[in-house]
Amino acid sequence: MIRNNWTIEEIRSIYYKPVLELIHQASTIHHQYNTTGEVQVCTLLSVKTGGCSEDCSYCPQAARYNTGVEAHKLMNYEDVVNKALDAKNGGSTRFCMGAAWRNVRDNSDFDKVIDMVKGVNAVGLEVCCTLGMLTEDQAKRLKEAGLYAYNHNLDTSDEHYGEIITTRTYDDRLETLNNVEKAGLSVCCGGIIGLGETDEDRIKLLHTLATRAQHPESVPVNALVSVKGTPLEGKEKVKVWEMVRMIATARILMPKSMVRLSAGRNDMSYEQQALCFMAGANSIFTGEKLLTTPNPDFDADKEMFSLLGLTPRESFKAEKEAVEI
Ligand code: SAM
Ligand code: DTB
Ligand code: SF4
């Protein structure tokens, strides 16, 4: 049963279980609802980097912090489609284009992104974008161009949000998520751990995600990549047990969602990642870079897939299964 009426107390009692018991429960649920060992392989591309007006304390792309990230204007169509072809040849099935924008504006850059969505769709990849806040009309335009999913993270709890970002509100984020849903796009929405939040903040974030009328189709769980020059420079590294606890609880609450082991893999051993897959993670980002920070290289991930017996998930699997039924 997929439930949308989880209470905070229920989530607490799952989250605080002894970690091995938690992994066991999550693993059992994962086995019931999904093909275990199957991992969705996604690739990120920053199509517009840096110079962002927002003050997200974790982000190397905010113009106000001196992080050494070189700002670039919007990439051109051919380069983006070539990157998508590379990603497909490397075994990726989802391609996510990120822009360091506060929100989408109805200008020629958005027209160009619409063309990129069409081009990447024609390559045969599930196309995802993460472009900041969107109106319903903009979401509809993206959908019509062939966009599959839209990534827009809540990052942390409503209560902790103001400590991390002051240039927009939690409600702004929720409004965009609603616009994305209204346009019939898949929602990709998750958070970051290691921002200085409490366990209670993590539980509240999970509660917000798991009590949406429809669970997000994918839930990225990011560990903070602490970048020099940001206000969160030097934050203590997230422990693997914290990642596992977050992933396992997300898996139990949202059994059918893709739970993505996102930022932070570069600092994790195969064994640590294996624990995350046991806890129900079934999606990753591959490729040498996330948006601006390093990610494990292609050969290392290939070796990990082989060692752990993981298989890449085919593209558009949910649609294919729906047709078969
Ligand atoms: N500008 C758009 C927005 O903020 O929605 C899209 C791009 S933004 C970089 C996408 C997501 O990356 C953020 O919501 C955040 O969750 C994640 N992110 C950014 N910097 C990160 C970091 N240093 N460590 C972990 N996750 C990070
Ligand atoms: C998500 O949740 N994580 C990705 C993707 N969605 C856009 C981004 C992680 C960014 C990490 C910092 C960087 O590389 O700039
Ligand atoms: Fe800008 Fe997005 Fe980075 Fe915030 S997370 S500073 S909105 S690019």
Side-chain angles (χ1 to χ4, degrees):
M1 275 287 288
I2 307 278
R3 286 185 49 195
N4 307 76
N5 60 352
W6 295 100
T7 64
I8 286 276
E9 291 70 33
E10 283 176 313
I11 300 179
R12 249 183 227 132
S13 74
I14 297 168
Y15 181 91
Y16 287 118
K17 272 180 199 285
V19 75
L20 294 183
E21 179 57 30
L22 180 60
I23 295 175
H24 173 68
Q25 193 186 341
S27 183
T28 307
I29 290 198
H30 189 34
H31 211 274
Q32 272 165 9
Y33 285 86
N34 306 295
T35 311
T36 41
E38 184 182 85
V39 174
Q40 179 191 45
V41 180
C42 314
T43 299
L44 278 169
L45 178 67
S46 181
V47 296
K48 189 268 168 187
T49 307
C52 185
S53 60
E54 299 288 87
D55 71 351
C56 313
S57 315
Y58 48 74
C59 188
Q61 303 198 64
R64 64 191 75 201
Y65 314 135
N66 244 324
T67 62
V69 165
E70 218 183 293
H72 283 286
K73 59 182 180 44
L74 192 64
M75 285 176 70
N76 73 48
Y77 176 88
E78 283 74 26
D79 292 342
V80 171
V81 172
N82 282 332
K83 290 280 186 190
L85 284 166
D86 289 348
K88 191 176 184 194
N89 292 333
S92 194
T93 55
R94 182 173 284 201
F95 191 72
C96 180
M97 294 180 272
W101 289 334
R102 168 183 164 77
N103 60 290
V104 169
R105 281 176 290 178
D106 294 307
N107 58 15
S108 61
D109 272 358
F110 187 39
D111 297 340
K112 287 181 197 155
V113 170
I114 292 288
D115 285 340
M116 291 172 192
V117 170
K118 291 181 183 159
V120 177
N121 194 28
V123 168
L125 291 161
E126 294 175 8
V127 197
C128 175
C129 276
T130 181
L131 313 169
M133 293 182 279
L134 276 186
T135 64
E136 192 180 339
D137 282 344
Q138 291 165 341
K140 284 188 176 143
R141 255 190 95 188
L142 285 164
K143 170 78 183 173
E144 277 156 24
L147 191 77
Y148 187 91
Y150 195 78
N151 166 253
H152 201 64
N153 291 336
L154 287 172
D155 286 339
T156 187
S157 69
D158 190 359
E159 289 77 0
H160 192 60
Y161 202 74
E163 302 285 316
I164 302 300
I165 299 151
T166 69
T167 48
R168 56 166 189 258
T169 65
Y170 215 63
D171 282 345
D172 289 332
R173 292 305 265 189
L174 291 167
E175 196 179 313
T176 292
L177 291 173
N178 292 339
N179 292 339
V180 167
E181 257 171 13
K182 281 191 229 156
L185 291 163
S186 259
V187 172
C188 169
C189 181
I192 311 179
I193 62 172
L195 303 172
E197 74 287 349
T198 60
D199 285 312
E200 216 40 33
D201 289 313
R202 294 177 189 173
I203 288 165
K204 284 187 179 146
L205 168 64
L206 288 165
H207 182 254
T208 305
L209 296 171
T211 54
R212 287 187 66 77
Q214 205 168 356
H215 292 164
E217 180 247 1
S218 49
V219 179
V221 179
N222 295 279
L224 173 72
V225 181
S226 165
V227 178
K228 198 162 176 273
T230 63
L232 297 180
E233 163 182 358
K235 267 260 174 256
E236 200 189 322
K237 224 183 85 181
V238 161
K239 295 192 176 57
V240 66
W241 307 114
E242 301 178 86
M243 245 354 222
V244 164
R245 208 173 269 291
M246 199 66 190
I247 288 170
T249 311
R251 170 53 65 218
I252 294 166
L253 301 177
M254 297 171 279
K256 287 291 287 173
S257 300
M258 309 295 303
V259 178
R260 186 167 307 122
L261 169 56
S262 305
R265 277 199 319 118
N266 205 38
D267 292 327
M268 293 170 81
S269 65
Y270 294 159
E271 290 85 346
Q272 291 179 338
Q273 294 181 63
L275 281 171
C276 295
F277 295 125
M278 280 196 56
N282 61 349
S283 177
I284 56 168
F285 288 118
T286 63
E288 268 160 41
K289 248 204 261 176
L290 289 164
L291 289 170
T292 65
T293 63
N295 199 38
D297 68 34
F298 184 76
D299 290 338
D301 279 339
K302 212 171 142 198
E303 185 179 48
M304 178 177 76
F305 268 61
S306 155
L307 279 170
L308 303 182
L310 303 174
T311 50
R313 174 186 165 102
E314 61 179 313
S315 54
F316 304 104
K317 193 179 175 197
E319 286 65 28
K320 287 177 195 156
E321 282 177 349
V323 170
E324 277 160 25
I325 292 164

